[in-house]
Every structure is written in C-alpha cells, then in structure tokens.
Amino acid sequence: MEMRNLYPNEVPPMDLLLLADPSEELVKAYLERGACIVAELHGQIIGVYVLLELTAEAVEIVNVAVAEPYQGKGLGKRLVNHAIDHARSQGYVTIEIGTGNSGIGQLALYQKCGFRITTIDQDFFTRNYPEAIYENGIQCRDMIRLSQTIGIK
Ligand code: COA
C-alpha cells in the first residue's frame, strides 16, 4: 500500500471523503484549502485524509476515512499516524482533530494516537448540518476537539 498526495488534476475520492463528513460543500471547501493524502492499494484508493493549516504552527486533520471493506484493520491508525509524522516533518508544533460526541470509535482511535481532548464546541453539528446525524444510537450534536503537541516552538 502506498500513501501519497493526490495528484494535481486527480479527482478526489469524494465517496470516501463523504463517509467522514456528510456535507459535500464543507468537504470541497476543505479540499481547496488543504492537502489531500490518499492510501492506494493495487490502484484503488482505500483511505484518505485532508491536512489543513490553521496557523503557521498548527494543522488540523479533517476528513479521515477508510473504505468500508478495509475498516477495522489498522488503516485508520496508519493514516492518523502518517498525518502526525507528515505535519511534524513540515515543522508544525500542534496537530488538532475534531469529531462528534457520538463518534465512539473515532474518539478511541484519536486517543490511541496520542490526542487529548481540549474543548467541546456545543451544538456544532446541530448548528451547521440541516439533517440530524445519528451514530451508535446517539445524536451527534457537539464537536469534541482534540490536540497534541508534535514539536517545539
Ligand atoms: N472502543 C475502543 N476502541 C475502539 C473502538 C471502540 N468502540 N472502535 C475503534 N477502536 C479502536 C480500534 O480497536 C483500533 O485500536 P487498536 O489498533 O489499538 O486496536 C483503533 O480504534 C482504530 O482502528 P483502525 O482499524 O485503525 O480504524 P479504521 O481503519 O476502521 O479507521 C475510521 C477508523 C474512523 C477512519 C473509519 O472507521 C472510517 O472511515 N469511518 C467512517 C468515516 C469517519 O467517521 N471518519 C472520522 C470523521 S471524525
């Protein structure tokens, strides 16, 4: 499996990106502002994340997603760790990630990759998404923000 940047004229793997965020509008906005990294296996894109610069010192991982048949095999962890190493090699000091209050698996994954919860943006999802989102039988309402220090100022 190869991890690489999306080629300049390559079509982004929208189906995969929409697994992580149901808003095509938001996904497109992230793609315009961020770097899209894909995991490719035998010519097929099976994983993706977008790395977005927040400030000169901080980046955020957005839209991390793994194709359904490949979930639960460690690829999500590889993508998140790849994002951390990539951001560190570019000199960023802090890396952030956000997920919904209902994303139990995502919260487990991010904490296993070294992230700690910093803040909660209450009602982020109810404010920003027209349809109610449910996951694990829980309504997704609040954005849990996590971060970790990856370098020295
Ligand atoms: N409790 C405890 N640990 C859990 C868990 C739970 N409910 N659910 C997942 N985990 C752990 C796994 O055990 C694993 O840890 P381990 O390696 O120590 O065993 C880790 O979280 C992640 O496993 P991994 O196989 O790397 O994850 P994945 O390849 O399935 O990718 C996602 C994770 C979230 C990227 C993937 O499920 C996905 O694409 N989901 C849809 C899109 C999405 O929701 N993206 C995130 C937006 S915030």
Side-chain angles (χ1 to χ4, degrees):
M1 197 194 57
E2 187 201 1
M3 302 258 202
R4 62 168 176 85
N5 276 68
L6 198 71
Y7 300 130
N9 294 319
E10 190 176 359
V11 179
M14 197 49 85
D15 288 358
L16 215 47
L17 290 158
L18 287 172
L19 282 181
D21 189 330
S23 164
E24 192 162 346
E25 206 180 317
L26 276 181
V27 170
K28 284 182 175 165
Y30 289 142
L31 284 169
E32 274 182 27
R33 289 169 47 211
C36 181
I37 286 84
V38 295
E40 190 175 47
L41 183 68
H42 308 309
Q44 189 197 351
I45 293 177
I46 59 168
V48 68
Y49 70 85
V50 176
L51 204 58
L52 205 64
E53 186 178 72
L54 300 176
T55 68
E57 289 180 353
V59 280
E60 177 172 353
I61 306 173
V62 289
N63 294 122
V64 56
V66 171
E68 267 159 20
Y70 298 92
Q71 288 178 7
K73 302 176 197 294
L75 181 53
K77 212 176 198 180
R78 277 181 69 179
L79 286 166
V80 172
N81 284 325
H82 186 272
I84 293 168
D85 291 344
H86 190 59
R88 186 184 287 119
S89 73
Q90 293 189 322
Y92 291 103
V93 177
T94 309
I95 188 160
E96 299 186 14
I97 197 160
T99 190
N101 58 285
S102 51
I104 307 297
Q106 293 87 327
L107 283 167
L109 165 63
Y110 304 152
Q111 290 178 87
K112 284 179 174 182
C113 290
F115 286 87
R116 293 191 60 188
I117 294 172
T118 47
T119 56
I120 298 171
D121 188 348
Q122 285 216 329
D123 284 310
F124 174 88
F125 292 96
T126 28
R127 270 199 321 271
N128 290 288
Y129 292 80
E131 308 280 330
I133 304 165
Y134 281 86
E135 218 178 350
N136 300 306
I138 307 165
Q139 186 175 358
C140 181
R141 296 161 62 134
D142 309 317
M143 163 84 85
I144 313 283
R145 306 275 323 159
L146 303 98
S147 83
Q148 69 172 293
T149 303
I150 53 169
I152 303 162
K153 272 190 197 175

